[in-house]
Amino acid sequence: MKGLEFIFLAAGSVLGAFLRYKITESPLLFNTLPVNVLIVNVVGAFILGAFVVLSEQWNLDGRYSLFAAVGFCGSLTTMSSFALDSSNLLENNHYGALAINVVANIGLSITALIGGKSLMSTIINN
């Protein structure tokens, strides 16, 4: 990795981590379901979906993928926090909330990614 590529990656990572921190610093609960991590995962997936289309359409340099996809979205979204929330729900016998958490994080993140791609494709093609 060259110096400029590292700067792109680092800048995206810092911005994504900062945004994740701001969104998750105050716990939001819907009953027993933690929604902060769900929010960052869905928003990050949507941004990544939109970026993939822009990157392909505009034939962006790979450094922008380092910034947006790997750095920003990689730092914004968080599998480890999702796993911790799920583990805590399991340990506290909140099985219904655990099932909702797993389905919502995975299902809504995939849906958001597809939505981001679809929206960006529509914008670009009009």
Side-chain angles (χ1 to χ4, degrees):
M1 177 175 286
K2 297 176 184 160
L4 189 56
E5 291 170 337
F6 179 77
I7 290 170
F8 272 79
L9 177 63
S13 297
V14 167
L15 290 173
F18 176 75
L19 184 57
R20 179 179 71 207
Y21 169 74
K22 294 308 286 179
I23 293 172
T24 61
E25 72 180 331
S26 299
L28 292 174
L29 295 175
F30 181 74
N31 200 3
T32 59
L33 181 67
V35 295
N36 300 72
V37 173
L38 175 62
I39 291 167
V40 297
N41 285 339
V42 171
V43 168
F46 183 86
I47 292 169
L48 182 58
F51 175 76
V52 165
V53 171
L54 281 177
S55 180
E56 291 172 359
Q57 183 69 30
W58 294 345
N59 197 25
L60 294 178
D61 185 278
R63 291 179 286 203
Y64 295 107
S65 282
L66 285 173
F67 174 81
V70 178
F72 182 79
C73 290
S75 291
L76 174 62
T77 60
T78 172
M79 180 55 93
S80 57
S81 294
F82 161 63
L84 178 61
D85 285 347
S86 297
S87 174
N88 289 338
L89 291 169
L90 181 64
E91 289 171 3
N92 291 309
N93 300 320
H94 295 294
Y95 303 116
L98 171 64
I100 291 169
N101 191 47
V102 170
V103 170
N105 270 281
I106 294 170
L108 291 176
S109 292
I110 292 170
T111 301
L113 187 120
I114 292 167
K117 289 174 73 174
S118 296
L119 177 65
M120 198 52 60
S121 292
T122 299
I123 290 170
I124 288 173
N125 292 326
N126 285 331

Short mmCIF file of all heavy atoms in Angstrom, two decimals, residues 29-83:
data_model
loop_
_atom_site.label_atom_id
_atom_site.label_comp_id
_atom_site.label_asym_id
_atom_site.label_seq_id
_atom_site.Cartn_x
_atom_site.Cartn_y
_atom_site.Cartn_z
N LEU A 29 -32.88 1.89 22.95
CA LEU A 29 -33.51 0.58 23.09
C LEU A 29 -34.95 0.66 22.63
O LEU A 29 -35.65 1.62 22.93
CB LEU A 29 -33.46 0.10 24.53
CG LEU A 29 -32.09 -0.18 25.13
CD1 LEU A 29 -32.22 -0.53 26.61
CD2 LEU A 29 -31.40 -1.31 24.38
N PHE A 30 -35.36 -0.33 21.90
CA PHE A 30 -36.76 -0.52 21.56
C PHE A 30 -37.19 -1.75 22.33
O PHE A 30 -36.88 -2.86 21.93
CB PHE A 30 -36.93 -0.69 20.05
CG PHE A 30 -38.36 -0.85 19.63
CD1 PHE A 30 -39.21 0.24 19.63
CD2 PHE A 30 -38.86 -2.08 19.26
CE1 PHE A 30 -40.53 0.11 19.24
CE2 PHE A 30 -40.18 -2.23 18.87
CZ PHE A 30 -41.01 -1.13 18.86
N ASN A 31 -37.81 -1.53 23.47
CA ASN A 31 -38.08 -2.59 24.44
C ASN A 31 -36.71 -3.09 24.91
O ASN A 31 -35.99 -2.33 25.54
CB ASN A 31 -38.96 -3.68 23.83
CG ASN A 31 -39.65 -4.52 24.88
OD1 ASN A 31 -39.53 -4.27 26.09
ND2 ASN A 31 -40.38 -5.52 24.45
N THR A 32 -36.32 -4.31 24.64
CA THR A 32 -34.99 -4.78 25.02
C THR A 32 -34.04 -4.83 23.82
O THR A 32 -32.89 -5.20 23.97
CB THR A 32 -35.06 -6.20 25.64
OG1 THR A 32 -35.65 -7.10 24.71
CG2 THR A 32 -35.86 -6.18 26.93
N LEU A 33 -34.52 -4.45 22.65
CA LEU A 33 -33.74 -4.53 21.42
C LEU A 33 -32.87 -3.28 21.26
O LEU A 33 -33.39 -2.17 21.15
CB LEU A 33 -34.67 -4.67 20.21
CG LEU A 33 -34.01 -4.78 18.85
CD1 LEU A 33 -33.24 -6.09 18.75
CD2 LEU A 33 -35.05 -4.70 17.77
N PRO A 34 -31.54 -3.45 21.23
CA PRO A 34 -30.66 -2.31 20.98
C PRO A 34 -30.69 -1.93 19.50
O PRO A 34 -30.50 -2.79 18.64
CB PRO A 34 -29.28 -2.83 21.39
CG PRO A 34 -29.37 -4.31 21.24
CD PRO A 34 -30.81 -4.69 21.46
N VAL A 35 -31.00 -0.67 19.19
CA VAL A 35 -31.15 -0.29 17.79
C VAL A 35 -29.99 0.56 17.25
O VAL A 35 -29.92 0.77 16.04
CB VAL A 35 -32.49 0.42 17.53
CG1 VAL A 35 -33.65 -0.52 17.76
CG2 VAL A 35 -32.63 1.67 18.37
N ASN A 36 -29.08 1.02 18.11
CA ASN A 36 -27.97 1.83 17.62
C ASN A 36 -27.14 1.08 16.58
O ASN A 36 -26.80 1.64 15.52
CB ASN A 36 -27.03 2.23 18.76
CG ASN A 36 -27.71 3.03 19.82
OD1 ASN A 36 -28.51 2.49 20.57
ND2 ASN A 36 -27.41 4.30 19.90
N VAL A 37 -26.77 -0.13 16.88
CA VAL A 37 -25.94 -0.92 15.96
C VAL A 37 -26.74 -1.23 14.69
O VAL A 37 -26.18 -1.21 13.59
CB VAL A 37 -25.43 -2.21 16.64
CG1 VAL A 37 -24.73 -3.12 15.65
CG2 VAL A 37 -24.49 -1.85 17.78
N LEU A 38 -28.01 -1.50 14.83
CA LEU A 38 -28.87 -1.72 13.67
C LEU A 38 -28.84 -0.49 12.76
O LEU A 38 -28.70 -0.62 11.54
CB LEU A 38 -30.30 -2.03 14.11
CG LEU A 38 -31.35 -2.18 13.01
CD1 LEU A 38 -31.00 -3.33 12.10
CD2 LEU A 38 -32.72 -2.36 13.63
N ILE A 39 -28.92 0.69 13.34
CA ILE A 39 -28.91 1.92 12.56
C ILE A 39 -27.60 2.05 11.78
O ILE A 39 -27.62 2.31 10.57
CB ILE A 39 -29.13 3.15 13.46
CG1 ILE A 39 -30.57 3.16 14.00
CG2 ILE A 39 -28.82 4.46 12.72
CD1 ILE A 39 -30.81 4.15 15.12
N VAL A 40 -26.46 1.87 12.45
CA VAL A 40 -25.19 2.03 11.73
C VAL A 40 -25.01 0.96 10.67
O VAL A 40 -24.48 1.24 9.59
CB VAL A 40 -23.95 2.08 12.67
CG1 VAL A 40 -24.01 3.28 13.58
CG2 VAL A 40 -23.75 0.82 13.44
N ASN A 41 -25.47 -0.25 10.94
CA ASN A 41 -25.32 -1.31 9.93
C ASN A 41 -26.19 -1.05 8.71
O ASN A 41 -25.75 -1.23 7.57
CB ASN A 41 -25.63 -2.67 10.54
CG ASN A 41 -24.52 -3.16 11.44
OD1 ASN A 41 -23.38 -2.72 11.34
ND2 ASN A 41 -24.84 -4.07 12.34
N VAL A 42 -27.42 -0.60 8.91
CA VAL A 42 -28.32 -0.34 7.78
C VAL A 42 -27.86 0.89 7.00
O VAL A 42 -27.80 0.86 5.76
CB VAL A 42 -29.78 -0.21 8.27
CG1 VAL A 42 -30.70 0.27 7.15
CG2 VAL A 42 -30.27 -1.55 8.84
N VAL A 43 -27.51 1.96 7.70
CA VAL A 43 -27.03 3.17 7.01
C VAL A 43 -25.74 2.87 6.25
O VAL A 43 -25.58 3.28 5.09
CB VAL A 43 -26.83 4.32 8.03
CG1 VAL A 43 -26.07 5.48 7.41
CG2 VAL A 43 -28.18 4.80 8.56
N GLY A 44 -24.82 2.16 6.88
CA GLY A 44 -23.57 1.81 6.21
C GLY A 44 -23.78 0.95 4.98
O GLY A 44 -23.13 1.13 3.95
N ALA A 45 -24.70 0.00 5.07
CA ALA A 45 -25.00 -0.85 3.93
C ALA A 45 -25.60 -0.04 2.79
O ALA A 45 -25.27 -0.24 1.61
CB ALA A 45 -25.94 -1.98 4.33
N PHE A 46 -26.48 0.90 3.12
CA PHE A 46 -27.09 1.75 2.09
C PHE A 46 -26.01 2.59 1.40
O PHE A 46 -25.96 2.67 0.17
CB PHE A 46 -28.16 2.67 2.71
CG PHE A 46 -28.85 3.52 1.70
CD1 PHE A 46 -29.94 3.03 1.01
CD2 PHE A 46 -28.42 4.81 1.44
CE1 PHE A 46 -30.60 3.80 0.06
CE2 PHE A 46 -29.05 5.59 0.49
CZ PHE A 46 -30.15 5.10 -0.20
N ILE A 47 -25.14 3.21 2.19
CA ILE A 47 -24.06 4.02 1.62
C ILE A 47 -23.16 3.16 0.74
O ILE A 47 -22.77 3.58 -0.36
CB ILE A 47 -23.25 4.71 2.74
CG1 ILE A 47 -24.12 5.77 3.44
CG2 ILE A 47 -21.96 5.32 2.21
CD1 ILE A 47 -23.52 6.32 4.72
N LEU A 48 -22.83 1.97 1.20
CA LEU A 48 -21.98 1.09 0.41
C LEU A 48 -22.65 0.71 -0.91
O LEU A 48 -22.01 0.70 -1.96
CB LEU A 48 -21.61 -0.17 1.20
CG LEU A 48 -20.68 -1.16 0.51
CD1 LEU A 48 -19.36 -0.48 0.13
CD2 LEU A 48 -20.43 -2.36 1.40
N GLY A 49 -23.94 0.41 -0.87
CA GLY A 49 -24.67 0.09 -2.09
C GLY A 49 -24.64 1.23 -3.09
O GLY A 49 -24.38 1.04 -4.28
N ALA A 50 -24.88 2.45 -2.60
CA ALA A 50 -24.84 3.62 -3.48
C ALA A 50 -23.44 3.84 -4.02
O ALA A 50 -23.25 4.13 -5.21
CB ALA A 50 -25.31 4.86 -2.71
N PHE A 51 -22.43 3.65 -3.18
CA PHE A 51 -21.05 3.85 -3.61
C PHE A 51 -20.64 2.85 -4.70
O PHE A 51 -19.95 3.21 -5.65
CB PHE A 51 -20.08 3.77 -2.44
CG PHE A 51 -18.66 3.85 -2.89
CD1 PHE A 51 -18.11 5.07 -3.26
CD2 PHE A 51 -17.88 2.72 -2.99
CE1 PHE A 51 -16.81 5.15 -3.72
CE2 PHE A 51 -16.58 2.78 -3.45
CZ PHE A 51 -16.04 4.00 -3.82
N VAL A 52 -21.07 1.60 -4.56
CA VAL A 52 -20.71 0.57 -5.55
C VAL A 52 -21.19 0.99 -6.94
O VAL A 52 -20.45 0.88 -7.92
CB VAL A 52 -21.30 -0.81 -5.14
CG1 VAL A 52 -21.27 -1.78 -6.30
CG2 VAL A 52 -20.56 -1.37 -3.95
N VAL A 53 -22.41 1.49 -7.02
CA VAL A 53 -22.94 1.92 -8.32
C VAL A 53 -22.16 3.13 -8.83
O VAL A 53 -21.79 3.17 -10.01
CB VAL A 53 -24.45 2.23 -8.20
CG1 VAL A 53 -24.98 2.88 -9.47
CG2 VAL A 53 -25.22 0.94 -7.90
N LEU A 54 -21.92 4.12 -7.97
CA LEU A 54 -21.14 5.29 -8.39
C LEU A 54 -19.75 4.89 -8.87
O LEU A 54 -19.26 5.40 -9.87
CB LEU A 54 -21.01 6.28 -7.24
CG LEU A 54 -22.19 7.17 -6.95
CD1 LEU A 54 -21.91 8.04 -5.73
CD2 LEU A 54 -22.54 8.03 -8.14
N SER A 55 -19.13 4.01 -8.13
CA SER A 55 -17.78 3.57 -8.46
C SER A 55 -17.73 2.91 -9.84
O SER A 55 -16.84 3.18 -10.63
CB SER A 55 -17.28 2.60 -7.39
OG SER A 55 -15.98 2.17 -7.67
N GLU A 56 -18.71 2.05 -10.10
CA GLU A 56 -18.76 1.38 -11.40
C GLU A 56 -19.11 2.35 -12.52
O GLU A 56 -18.49 2.33 -13.58
CB GLU A 56 -19.78 0.24 -11.36
CG GLU A 56 -19.36 -0.92 -10.49
CD GLU A 56 -20.46 -1.97 -10.32
OE1 GLU A 56 -21.57 -1.79 -10.87
OE2 GLU A 56 -20.20 -2.95 -9.62
N GLN A 57 -20.10 3.20 -12.27
CA GLN A 57 -20.57 4.14 -13.30
C GLN A 57 -19.50 5.15 -13.67
O GLN A 57 -19.31 5.47 -14.83
CB GLN A 57 -21.83 4.85 -12.81
CG GLN A 57 -22.45 5.79 -13.81
CD GLN A 57 -23.05 5.09 -15.00
OE1 GLN A 57 -23.52 3.97 -14.89
NE2 GLN A 57 -23.05 5.73 -16.15
N TRP A 58 -18.83 5.68 -12.66
CA TRP A 58 -17.84 6.73 -12.90
C TRP A 58 -16.43 6.19 -13.02
O TRP A 58 -15.49 6.96 -13.14
CB TRP A 58 -17.91 7.76 -11.79
CG TRP A 58 -19.20 8.53 -11.76
CD1 TRP A 58 -20.15 8.61 -12.73
CD2 TRP A 58 -19.66 9.35 -10.68
NE1 TRP A 58 -21.18 9.40 -12.32
CE2 TRP A 58 -20.91 9.88 -11.06
CE3 TRP A 58 -19.15 9.67 -9.44
CZ2 TRP A 58 -21.64 10.72 -10.24
CZ3 TRP A 58 -19.88 10.51 -8.62
CH2 TRP A 58 -21.11 11.03 -9.02
N ASN A 59 -16.28 4.86 -12.95
CA ASN A 59 -14.97 4.22 -13.06
C ASN A 59 -13.96 4.89 -12.12
O ASN A 59 -12.89 5.32 -12.52
CB ASN A 59 -14.48 4.27 -14.51
CG ASN A 59 -13.35 3.29 -14.74
OD1 ASN A 59 -13.23 2.29 -14.04
ND2 ASN A 59 -12.52 3.58 -15.72
N LEU A 60 -14.35 4.96 -10.84
CA LEU A 60 -13.53 5.65 -9.84
C LEU A 60 -12.23 4.90 -9.56
O LEU A 60 -12.18 3.68 -9.61
CB LEU A 60 -14.30 5.80 -8.53
CG LEU A 60 -15.52 6.70 -8.56
CD1 LEU A 60 -16.21 6.71 -7.19
CD2 LEU A 60 -15.15 8.12 -8.97
N ASP A 61 -11.22 5.65 -9.26
CA ASP A 61 -9.92 5.12 -8.86
C ASP A 61 -10.10 4.28 -7.59
O ASP A 61 -10.95 4.57 -6.75
CB ASP A 61 -8.99 6.31 -8.58
CG ASP A 61 -7.58 5.86 -8.27
OD1 ASP A 61 -7.34 5.48 -7.11
OD2 ASP A 61 -6.73 5.88 -9.18
N GLY A 62 -9.30 3.23 -7.46
CA GLY A 62 -9.38 2.34 -6.31
C GLY A 62 -9.18 3.01 -4.97
O GLY A 62 -9.63 2.52 -3.93
N ARG A 63 -8.54 4.17 -4.96
CA ARG A 63 -8.34 4.90 -3.70
C ARG A 63 -9.66 5.34 -3.10
O ARG A 63 -9.81 5.40 -1.89
CB ARG A 63 -7.43 6.10 -3.91
CG ARG A 63 -5.99 5.69 -4.20
CD ARG A 63 -5.14 6.89 -4.40
NE ARG A 63 -5.46 7.43 -5.72
CZ ARG A 63 -4.66 8.19 -6.43
NH1 ARG A 63 -3.49 8.54 -5.95
NH2 ARG A 63 -5.02 8.63 -7.61
N TYR A 64 -10.64 5.62 -3.96
CA TYR A 64 -11.95 6.01 -3.44
C TYR A 64 -12.66 4.83 -2.78
O TYR A 64 -13.41 5.01 -1.82
CB TYR A 64 -12.81 6.63 -4.54
CG TYR A 64 -12.22 7.93 -5.05
CD1 TYR A 64 -11.63 7.99 -6.29
CD2 TYR A 64 -12.20 9.06 -4.25
CE1 TYR A 64 -11.06 9.16 -6.75
CE2 TYR A 64 -11.64 10.24 -4.69
CZ TYR A 64 -11.07 10.29 -5.95
OH TYR A 64 -10.50 11.44 -6.39
N SER A 65 -12.41 3.63 -3.28
CA SER A 65 -12.94 2.44 -2.62
C SER A 65 -12.28 2.25 -1.26
O SER A 65 -12.93 1.86 -0.30
CB SER A 65 -12.71 1.18 -3.46
OG SER A 65 -13.64 1.13 -4.51
N LEU A 66 -10.98 2.52 -1.18
CA LEU A 66 -10.30 2.46 0.12
C LEU A 66 -10.93 3.44 1.10
O LEU A 66 -11.15 3.13 2.26
CB LEU A 66 -8.81 2.75 -0.03
CG LEU A 66 -7.96 1.65 -0.63
CD1 LEU A 66 -6.53 2.16 -0.87
CD2 LEU A 66 -7.95 0.42 0.26
N PHE A 67 -11.23 4.63 0.60
CA PHE A 67 -11.83 5.65 1.46
C PHE A 67 -13.26 5.28 1.87
O PHE A 67 -13.57 5.21 3.06
CB PHE A 67 -11.83 7.02 0.76
CG PHE A 67 -12.56 8.08 1.53
CD1 PHE A 67 -11.95 8.75 2.57
CD2 PHE A 67 -13.88 8.40 1.22
CE1 PHE A 67 -12.62 9.72 3.30
CE2 PHE A 67 -14.56 9.36 1.93
CZ PHE A 67 -13.94 10.03 2.97
N ALA A 68 -14.13 5.07 0.89
CA ALA A 68 -15.56 4.91 1.15
C ALA A 68 -15.95 3.51 1.59
O ALA A 68 -16.62 3.34 2.62
CB ALA A 68 -16.36 5.31 -0.08
N ALA A 69 -15.56 2.50 0.83
CA ALA A 69 -16.02 1.13 1.10
C ALA A 69 -15.27 0.50 2.27
O ALA A 69 -15.87 0.06 3.25
CB ALA A 69 -15.88 0.27 -0.15
N VAL A 70 -13.96 0.46 2.17
CA VAL A 70 -13.16 -0.22 3.20
C VAL A 70 -13.04 0.65 4.45
O VAL A 70 -13.30 0.20 5.56
CB VAL A 70 -11.76 -0.58 2.65
CG1 VAL A 70 -10.91 -1.24 3.72
CG2 VAL A 70 -11.88 -1.47 1.42
N GLY A 71 -12.64 1.92 4.27
CA GLY A 71 -12.42 2.79 5.42
C GLY A 71 -13.70 3.23 6.09
O GLY A 71 -13.99 2.86 7.23
N PHE A 72 -14.50 4.04 5.38
CA PHE A 72 -15.69 4.63 5.99
C PHE A 72 -16.74 3.59 6.36
O PHE A 72 -17.13 3.47 7.52
CB PHE A 72 -16.31 5.69 5.07
CG PHE A 72 -17.50 6.36 5.66
CD1 PHE A 72 -17.35 7.35 6.61
CD2 PHE A 72 -18.78 5.98 5.29
CE1 PHE A 72 -18.46 7.96 7.18
CE2 PHE A 72 -19.89 6.58 5.85
CZ PHE A 72 -19.73 7.58 6.80
N CYS A 73 -17.20 2.81 5.38
CA CYS A 73 -18.26 1.82 5.67
C CYS A 73 -17.76 0.71 6.57
O CYS A 73 -18.49 0.22 7.43
CB CYS A 73 -18.84 1.26 4.37
SG CYS A 73 -19.82 2.47 3.46
N GLY A 74 -16.50 0.33 6.41
CA GLY A 74 -15.93 -0.71 7.27
C GLY A 74 -15.84 -0.27 8.72
O GLY A 74 -16.06 -1.07 9.63
N SER A 75 -15.56 1.00 8.95
CA SER A 75 -15.49 1.50 10.32
C SER A 75 -16.86 1.88 10.87
O SER A 75 -17.09 1.83 12.07
CB SER A 75 -14.58 2.74 10.39
OG SER A 75 -13.25 2.37 10.18
N LEU A 76 -17.76 2.28 10.00
CA LEU A 76 -19.10 2.66 10.44
C LEU A 76 -19.91 1.44 10.86
O LEU A 76 -20.50 1.41 11.92
CB LEU A 76 -19.84 3.41 9.32
CG LEU A 76 -21.31 3.74 9.59
CD1 LEU A 76 -21.45 4.67 10.78
CD2 LEU A 76 -21.93 4.37 8.35
N THR A 77 -19.93 0.43 10.02
CA THR A 77 -20.70 -0.77 10.34
C THR A 77 -19.89 -1.64 11.29
O THR A 77 -18.68 -1.53 11.37
CB THR A 77 -21.04 -1.55 9.06
OG1 THR A 77 -19.84 -1.93 8.41
CG2 THR A 77 -21.90 -0.72 8.13
N THR A 78 -20.58 -2.50 12.02
CA THR A 78 -19.87 -3.20 13.08
C THR A 78 -20.44 -4.58 13.37
O THR A 78 -21.46 -4.71 14.03
CB THR A 78 -19.85 -2.34 14.35
OG1 THR A 78 -19.32 -3.10 15.41
CG2 THR A 78 -21.20 -1.80 14.74
N MET A 79 -19.77 -5.57 12.86
CA MET A 79 -20.18 -6.95 13.12
C MET A 79 -19.90 -7.32 14.58
O MET A 79 -20.69 -8.02 15.21
CB MET A 79 -19.46 -7.91 12.18
CG MET A 79 -19.84 -9.36 12.39
SD MET A 79 -21.62 -9.66 12.30
CE MET A 79 -21.80 -10.09 10.61
N SER A 80 -18.81 -6.85 15.13
CA SER A 80 -18.47 -7.22 16.50
C SER A 80 -19.48 -6.67 17.50
O SER A 80 -19.87 -7.36 18.45
CB SER A 80 -17.05 -6.76 16.86
OG SER A 80 -16.92 -5.38 16.70
N SER A 81 -19.94 -5.45 17.30
CA SER A 81 -20.96 -4.89 18.20
C SER A 81 -22.29 -5.61 18.03
O SER A 81 -23.02 -5.84 19.00
CB SER A 81 -21.14 -3.39 17.95
OG SER A 81 -19.98 -2.70 18.31
N PHE A 82 -22.61 -5.96 16.80
CA PHE A 82 -23.82 -6.74 16.54
C PHE A 82 -23.74 -8.08 17.26
O PHE A 82 -24.70 -8.52 17.91
CB PHE A 82 -23.97 -6.94 15.02
CG PHE A 82 -24.89 -8.06 14.61
CD1 PHE A 82 -26.23 -8.04 14.93
CD2 PHE A 82 -24.39 -9.13 13.90
CE1 PHE A 82 -27.07 -9.08 14.53
CE2 PHE A 82 -25.21 -10.17 13.50
CZ PHE A 82 -26.56 -10.14 13.81
N ALA A 83 -22.58 -8.73 17.20
CA ALA A 83 -22.40 -10.01 17.90
C ALA A 83 -22.51 -9.84 19.41
O ALA A 83 -23.11 -10.68 20.10
CB ALA A 83 -21.05 -10.62 17.52
#
